[in-house]
Amino acid sequence: QVQLVESGGGLVQAGGSLRLSCAASVSPFSMYVMAWFRQAPGKEREFVAGISRNGVNIGYADSVKGRFSVSRDNAKNLVFLQMDRLKPEDTAVYFCNAKLPPVPMRSISGYWGQGTQATVSS
């Protein structure tokens, strides 16, 4: 039984912020690369941000770099995505993703949560 549960989505105005959380049952959590992907209607699922097991290696999509920040708390089996200065084009379902190294951070594989909706109005 593996479970990833996202929370923190909602409706905000452009320029606002949201903080997404992912609670992971995968064990040992600290051995997994964690990532966030998003998917808007009619579009492919795309990589947003990822973080290595120790939090040192972090990657972002160019579209969110400088606005989003990913972090993890291995003691609590949690991953976060802080989203600031949101734009309407950030509107999507955001998915938590867990992969076991050496699978690449941006790889669309591994375990997935059900997703949480983030909507940004203009």
Side-chain angles (χ1 to χ4, degrees):
Q1 177 71 274
V2 175
Q3 189 173 30
L4 304 173
V5 181
E6 303 94 337
S7 61
L11 174 63
V12 298
Q13 292 186 333
S17 298
L18 286 171
R19 183 174 176 82
L20 307 184
S21 298
C22 172
S25 67
V26 64
S27 182
F29 174 73
S30 61
M31 298 303 294
Y32 282 79
V33 171
M34 302 300 297
W36 291 93
F37 291 74
R38 68 185 182 187
Q39 188 167 23
K43 294 187 176 181
E44 298 290 324
R45 186 170 299 190
E46 64 174 351
F47 172 81
V48 177
I51 185 168
S52 63
R53 58 177 297 278
N54 58 8
V56 174
N57 185 22
I58 295 176
Y60 298 99
D62 289 341
S63 59
V64 306
K65 194 172 184 178
R67 299 187 297 118
F68 290 10
S69 180
V70 63
S71 60
R72 66 190 295 166
D73 184 341
N74 286 347
K76 297 181 178 180
N77 285 26
L78 293 173
V79 184
F80 305 98
L81 184 67
Q82 179 68 43
M83 307 190 295
D84 297 323
R85 303 192 302 281
L86 284 162
K87 304 175 181 179
E89 49 263 47
D90 294 319
T91 295
V93 177
Y94 285 75
F95 297 92
C96 183
N97 169 245
K99 297 186 288 284
L100 192 65
V103 177
M105 181 178 295
R106 290 168 170 78
S107 175
I108 303 178
S109 62
Y111 300 105
W112 300 90
Q114 293 182 339
T116 185
Q117 176 72 44
T119 302
V120 185
S121 62
S122 60

